Amino acid sequence: MIMKCLFPVAGYGTRFLPATKAQPKEMLPILTKPLIQYGVEEAFAAGMKNIAFVTGRTKRAIEDHFDVTYELEDQISGTSKESQLDDIRELIAICTFSYTRQAHMRGLGDAILTGETLIGDRPFGVILADDLCVGEPDGVMAQMVRVYEKYRCSIVAVEEVPIEDVGRYGVVKGRQLDDRNILVEHMVEKPAPQDAPSNLAIIGRYILTPDIFEILRNTPPGKNGEVQLTDALQIQAANGKVIAYRFQGRRFDCGSVEGFVAATNFFFSCRKDAR
Ligand code: G1P
């Protein structure tokens, strides 16, 4: 059973300035729910009740969000608005939330390593909240837990992207095991299209085995001078210990304005249909 999920949330969100000048990008809402809550709900649905954040300056709103807000709750108690807090109340009642700060932005690999103190020595999930996933029939992380239970190694979620976009992602290549699973042999962070081993891009969902921490400690800065998780995973892949899983469902890149608007439109049309 995987109990813990790590959320690296220290990044600045410069593509959303000025909106993210004084508030975390993870608190930007898709309709009425902040991005980070979609991610935590996905982890929770996968059975991960210990939620760990690698956070940073200007990110305190995330801590407040996953806590009781007494005055507000008192004020709306008994009104029709109260039901809007049902989902977040359930998370607060059942999950634990822990936080540690990443002092310097040294890349995703460094963020994950900073989270070691909250994770310990068991396999764990990682969710990048910028990637908002709508899984079919269940959440993408829940799908990945099933893949982990079969293969017992690190799992990355992948999808095909247009070749001209590969420079935004970690890209994998390997041996097809079945329709959805690939035994990764090679992975590279943000390649140029002409150097990309494929157009299968890693999205912001991972299950990692805890040996990743020791590997990360020994991983030198890579692409863009940052410690890259992809480089550490390549070490595991060389030992046949990484599966790339083609998830069922859709992903919105809410780290870009276009993806954010697409997600908003998608959720709004779902809500209209539900009425
Ligand atoms: C990170 C990872 C990259 C992955 C991407 C998914 O990049 O480094 O391998 O494909 O997330 O969103 P970032 O988007 O933080 O630059």
Side-chain angles (χ1 to χ4, degrees), residues 108 128 131 168-170 189-190 202-204 206 228 230 251:
L108 178 59
L128 309 185
D131 278 335
R168 290 164 36 198
Y169 301 97
E189 180 69 10
K190 303 192 171 83
I202 304 172
I203 63 139
Y206 306 79
Q228 296 294 349
T230 304
R251 173 196 67 118

Tab-separated table of all heavy atoms in Angstrom, residues 108 128 131 168-170 189-190 202-204 206 228 230 251, ligand 1:
chain	number	residue	atom	x	y	z
A	108	LEU	N	13.516	19.906	-10.220
A	108	LEU	CA	12.571	18.933	-9.684
A	108	LEU	C	13.280	17.846	-8.876
A	108	LEU	O	12.795	17.426	-7.825
A	108	LEU	CB	11.775	18.312	-10.844
A	108	LEU	CG	10.757	17.235	-10.482
A	108	LEU	CD1	9.696	17.776	-9.515
A	108	LEU	CD2	10.085	16.684	-11.742
A	128	LEU	N	2.649	16.602	-9.830
A	128	LEU	CA	2.923	17.992	-10.178
A	128	LEU	C	1.564	18.613	-10.489
A	128	LEU	O	0.922	18.248	-11.490
A	128	LEU	CB	3.864	18.078	-11.380
A	128	LEU	CG	5.158	17.251	-11.286
A	128	LEU	CD1	6.058	17.516	-12.502
A	128	LEU	CD2	5.912	17.560	-9.997
A	131	ASP	N	-0.094	19.800	-13.861
A	131	ASP	CA	-0.710	18.855	-14.778
A	131	ASP	C	-2.008	18.375	-14.137
A	131	ASP	O	-1.993	17.618	-13.169
A	131	ASP	CB	0.216	17.656	-15.041
A	131	ASP	CG	1.258	17.956	-16.105
A	131	ASP	OD1	1.007	18.828	-16.953
A	131	ASP	OD2	2.334	17.330	-16.072
A	168	ARG	N	9.654	20.343	-23.923
A	168	ARG	CA	9.062	20.763	-22.631
A	168	ARG	C	8.985	19.626	-21.636
A	168	ARG	O	8.528	19.828	-20.500
A	168	ARG	CB	7.651	21.312	-22.874
A	168	ARG	CG	7.682	22.647	-23.592
A	168	ARG	CD	6.364	23.071	-24.194
A	168	ARG	NE	5.199	22.714	-23.425
A	168	ARG	CZ	3.961	22.684	-23.926
A	168	ARG	NH1	3.759	22.971	-25.195
A	168	ARG	NH2	2.935	22.353	-23.180
A	169	TYR	N	9.416	18.421	-22.045
A	169	TYR	CA	9.150	17.237	-21.220
A	169	TYR	C	10.370	16.332	-21.076
A	169	TYR	O	11.307	16.396	-21.868
A	169	TYR	CB	8.053	16.393	-21.868
A	169	TYR	CG	6.753	17.104	-22.066
A	169	TYR	CD1	6.436	17.682	-23.290
A	169	TYR	CD2	5.845	17.206	-21.018
A	169	TYR	CE1	5.226	18.345	-23.468
A	169	TYR	CE2	4.632	17.863	-21.189
A	169	TYR	CZ	4.332	18.432	-22.419
A	169	TYR	OH	3.144	19.083	-22.596
A	170	GLY	N	10.282	15.412	-20.091
A	170	GLY	CA	11.124	14.232	-20.095
A	170	GLY	C	10.543	13.267	-21.120
A	170	GLY	O	9.318	13.133	-21.216
A	189	GLU	N	15.798	14.394	-20.578
A	189	GLU	CA	15.035	15.576	-20.178
A	189	GLU	C	15.083	16.642	-21.267
A	189	GLU	O	16.154	17.050	-21.706
A	189	GLU	CB	15.603	16.138	-18.859
A	189	GLU	CG	14.905	17.370	-18.316
A	189	GLU	CD	13.478	17.109	-17.813
A	189	GLU	OE1	13.076	15.942	-17.694
A	189	GLU	OE2	12.777	18.095	-17.540
A	190	LYS	N	13.903	17.061	-21.672
A	190	LYS	CA	13.720	18.190	-22.598
A	190	LYS	C	14.677	18.159	-23.799
A	190	LYS	O	15.475	19.085	-23.998
A	190	LYS	CB	13.845	19.512	-21.833
A	190	LYS	CG	12.846	19.622	-20.678
A	190	LYS	CD	12.745	20.998	-20.096
A	190	LYS	CE	11.603	21.104	-19.105
A	190	LYS	NZ	11.877	20.659	-17.754
A	202	ILE	N	6.751	12.358	-20.457
A	202	ILE	CA	6.371	12.123	-19.060
A	202	ILE	C	5.474	13.273	-18.622
A	202	ILE	O	5.798	14.444	-18.832
A	202	ILE	CB	7.615	12.085	-18.152
A	202	ILE	CG1	8.610	11.023	-18.630
A	202	ILE	CG2	7.213	11.858	-16.695
A	202	ILE	CD1	9.949	11.068	-17.894
A	203	ILE	N	4.353	12.933	-18.012
A	203	ILE	CA	3.517	13.988	-17.420
A	203	ILE	C	3.756	13.971	-15.911
A	203	ILE	O	4.443	13.097	-15.393
A	203	ILE	CB	2.038	13.818	-17.802
A	203	ILE	CG1	1.493	12.505	-17.248
A	203	ILE	CG2	1.865	13.876	-19.315
A	203	ILE	CD1	0.126	12.635	-16.703
A	204	GLY	N	3.171	14.914	-15.211
A	204	GLY	CA	3.534	15.115	-13.807
A	204	GLY	C	2.923	14.123	-12.839
A	204	GLY	O	2.325	14.500	-11.824
A	206	TYR	N	4.145	10.373	-10.955
A	206	TYR	CA	5.189	9.380	-10.766
A	206	TYR	C	4.851	8.522	-9.555
A	206	TYR	O	4.245	9.014	-8.586
A	206	TYR	CB	6.543	10.035	-10.448
A	206	TYR	CG	7.024	11.086	-11.426
A	206	TYR	CD1	6.525	12.391	-11.394
A	206	TYR	CD2	8.017	10.793	-12.354
A	206	TYR	CE1	6.995	13.363	-12.275
A	206	TYR	CE2	8.502	11.767	-13.240
A	206	TYR	CZ	7.979	13.043	-13.188
A	206	TYR	OH	8.449	14.004	-14.051
A	228	GLN	N	17.877	17.027	-12.317
A	228	GLN	CA	16.704	16.530	-13.037
A	228	GLN	C	16.287	15.148	-12.523
A	228	GLN	O	17.103	14.219	-12.487
A	228	GLN	CB	17.002	16.452	-14.543
A	228	GLN	CG	17.286	17.800	-15.183
A	228	GLN	CD	16.081	18.740	-15.180
A	228	GLN	OE1	14.952	18.329	-14.881
A	228	GLN	NE2	16.332	20.000	-15.488
A	230	THR	N	14.476	13.180	-14.146
A	230	THR	CA	14.621	12.281	-15.299
A	230	THR	C	16.007	11.631	-15.319
A	230	THR	O	16.132	10.438	-15.625
A	230	THR	CB	14.377	13.073	-16.607
A	230	THR	OG1	13.088	13.673	-16.529
A	230	THR	CG2	14.451	12.176	-17.827
A	251	ARG	N	-5.081	14.939	-19.894
A	251	ARG	CA	-4.263	15.825	-19.057
A	251	ARG	C	-4.350	17.246	-19.611
A	251	ARG	O	-4.329	17.434	-20.829
A	251	ARG	CB	-2.799	15.392	-19.096
A	251	ARG	CG	-1.892	16.365	-18.385
A	251	ARG	CD	-0.447	16.171	-18.748
A	251	ARG	NE	-0.171	16.492	-20.130
A	251	ARG	CZ	0.664	17.454	-20.531
A	251	ARG	NH1	1.315	18.183	-19.653
A	251	ARG	NH2	0.868	17.676	-21.810
B	1	G1P	C1	8.968	18.408	-15.219
B	1	G1P	C2	9.906	17.239	-15.509
B	1	G1P	C3	9.655	16.699	-16.914
B	1	G1P	C4	8.195	16.322	-17.069
B	1	G1P	C5	7.296	17.526	-16.732
B	1	G1P	C6	5.835	17.132	-16.715
B	1	G1P	O1	9.322	19.485	-16.046
B	1	G1P	O2	11.236	17.691	-15.376
B	1	G1P	O3	10.466	15.560	-17.129
B	1	G1P	O4	7.960	15.891	-18.396
B	1	G1P	O5	7.610	18.048	-15.434
B	1	G1P	O6	5.002	18.231	-16.514
B	1	G1P	P1	8.810	21.006	-15.749
B	1	G1P	O7	7.425	21.085	-16.307
B	1	G1P	O8	8.849	21.186	-14.277
B	1	G1P	O9	9.779	21.886	-16.478
